[in-house]
Amino acid sequence: MMAQFYISRVFMPIAQKSHDKNPFLEFIMKFSARFTLAALALGVLSACSNGAANDSTAKPAQTSQQASQTSTPANNNDDVVKALQANLQKSGIDITAKTALPTDMEGIYWATFDGAPAMFTDAKGEHLIQGQIVNISGEHPIDITASIHASVAKEALAAVNPDEMIIFPATTDTKAAIYVFSDPTCHYCQKLHGEIKELNDGGLEVRYLAWPRSDHYIGLTESIWCSSDRKDAITRAKKGEKISAPTCDNPVAKHMALGHELGVSGTPAVFTESGVQIGGYLPAKDMIATAIANR
């Protein structure tokens, strides 16, 4: 599913598993479901899930060259990163912590990793907290993750070399741009691309990144990016045509690693220039308006 909203582990010590029922968590789950119902419905109706039946989700092969090249934020807490990394290694979890950014919740940090989705951690790096933390002290509940996630995504996406993306520029004055993690076989990716002219005519630049939904589609995706005319290749692929091209050095694995870091879980995954993830497919007029509003 494109949209996943959950609070599945709250202050869970690293490597510890618990299956006990918790009335508080059950309450939070009900609140979260109500709080995000509209967005969840959008994700269900406008995105393709990862992988076909019996296919595992495609995973990028990690290399040092494929790891994110973004600079470390000024408010990164290096002591938390070191403590978290030590605990990850101690627990046998083979991922690398990159940054730990302070949140509005005292003592809680937003930790990012190479090739894995971001999670919350505590000041000692002893716990991983996966899901939402909602501030209910004001008039309206606020997901404290949203602004941090957008800031991280904005920086990471801006660092992607334009030559590594397939870009369909606006045909009028550019009003906004969107980054789209896309699979050539996904119905809603095809539907979005079927409206590419309307999007471009409306002043929206569309920047495609590779996101094959399973290992089965990696070859097709690489062929698109290795084609001499990538725009033509991705257009034909989304119409169901077979694409063949000589093997080349391509950014598919790098895009997949970035997508995992940003929490991409289905296609199309659409981000605005400000790093806000606006969900999956939207009709062209709505996509343009949303992209401009979150530029």
Side-chain angles (χ1 to χ4, degrees):
M1 300 296 297
M2 176 62 199
Q4 295 183 353
F5 300 94
Y6 49 85
I7 303 182
S8 58
R9 300 176 181 88
V10 178
F11 271 95
M12 182 187 75
I14 293 175
Q16 178 178 324
K17 297 180 180 179
S18 174
H19 302 286
D20 296 335
K21 290 185 177 181
N22 187 317
F24 172 72
L25 289 184
E26 291 178 358
F27 164 76
I28 291 294
M29 288 293 288
K30 291 178 181 179
F31 170 79
S32 180
R34 177 175 60 83
F35 180 61
T36 58
L37 183 59
L40 179 58
L42 174 63
V44 171
L45 296 174
S46 61
C48 302
S49 60
N50 276 325
N54 301 320
D55 272 340
S56 60
T57 302
K59 298 290 185 182
Q62 283 292 308
T63 68
S64 59
Q65 290 79 14
Q66 291 166 355
S68 291
Q69 301 298 317
T70 56
S71 59
T72 302
N75 59 342
N76 176 58
N77 190 313
D78 193 51
D79 290 338
V80 174
V81 174
K82 291 178 180 178
L84 177 58
Q85 189 61 52
N87 286 320
L88 288 168
Q89 292 174 348
K90 186 188 302 182
S91 298
I93 302 176
D94 188 21
I95 58 175
T96 300
K98 291 171 54 182
T99 63
L101 309 180
T103 71
D104 291 340
M105 186 174 180
E106 185 176 357
I108 298 299
Y109 294 80
W110 180 248
T112 65
F113 306 88
D114 273 330
M119 287 176 272
F120 293 103
T121 190
D122 62 298
K124 294 182 179 180
E126 294 178 343
H127 303 79
L128 290 177
I129 308 168
Q130 190 178 33
Q132 290 174 303
I133 295 181
V134 180
N135 184 335
I136 56 172
S137 64
E139 294 183 4
H140 304 286
I142 298 174
D143 180 358
I144 71 170
T145 317
S147 61
I148 303 173
H149 187 272
S151 177
V152 171
K154 176 183 178 180
E155 183 178 355
L157 291 167
V160 178
N161 188 332
D163 291 339
E164 294 182 351
M165 296 182 284
I166 302 177
I167 299 177
F168 287 78
T171 52
T172 58
D173 291 339
T174 303
K175 299 176 182 177
I178 54 174
Y179 298 87
V180 183
F181 287 88
S182 183
D183 174 271
T185 66
C186 164
H187 169 72
Y188 285 104
C189 296
Q190 295 169 344
K191 191 173 178 64
L192 186 154
H193 194 71
E195 299 176 7
I196 196 73
K197 184 179 185 303
E198 189 175 349
L199 293 170
N200 293 158
D201 288 348
L204 190 61
E205 177 172 291
V206 179
R207 304 167 181 172
Y208 281 122
L209 295 96
W211 185 263
R213 291 181 292 150
S214 75
D215 292 342
H216 180 73
Y217 302 118
I218 290 178
L220 171 60
T221 306
E222 290 181 337
S223 292
I224 292 171
W225 256 261
C226 288
S227 296
S228 57
D229 187 340
R230 292 175 175 177
K231 291 169 66 176
D232 176 70
I234 197 170
T235 298
R236 291 191 292 113
K238 288 178 183 292
K239 293 179 179 178
E241 297 184 28
K242 293 184 178 180
I243 305 298
S244 60
T247 302
C248 73
D249 184 19
N250 65 79
V252 172
K254 186 187 297 185
H255 289 180
M256 292 165 64
L258 175 59
H260 279 288
E261 290 177 30
L262 298 183
V264 172
S265 59
T267 54
V270 184
F271 292 81
T272 67
E273 292 173 277
S274 64
V276 173
Q277 186 171 0
I278 58 177
Y281 165 81
L282 290 174
K285 290 183 179 179
D286 295 334
M287 183 72 77
I288 293 168
T290 305
I292 292 174
N294 292 279
R295 184 173 183 177

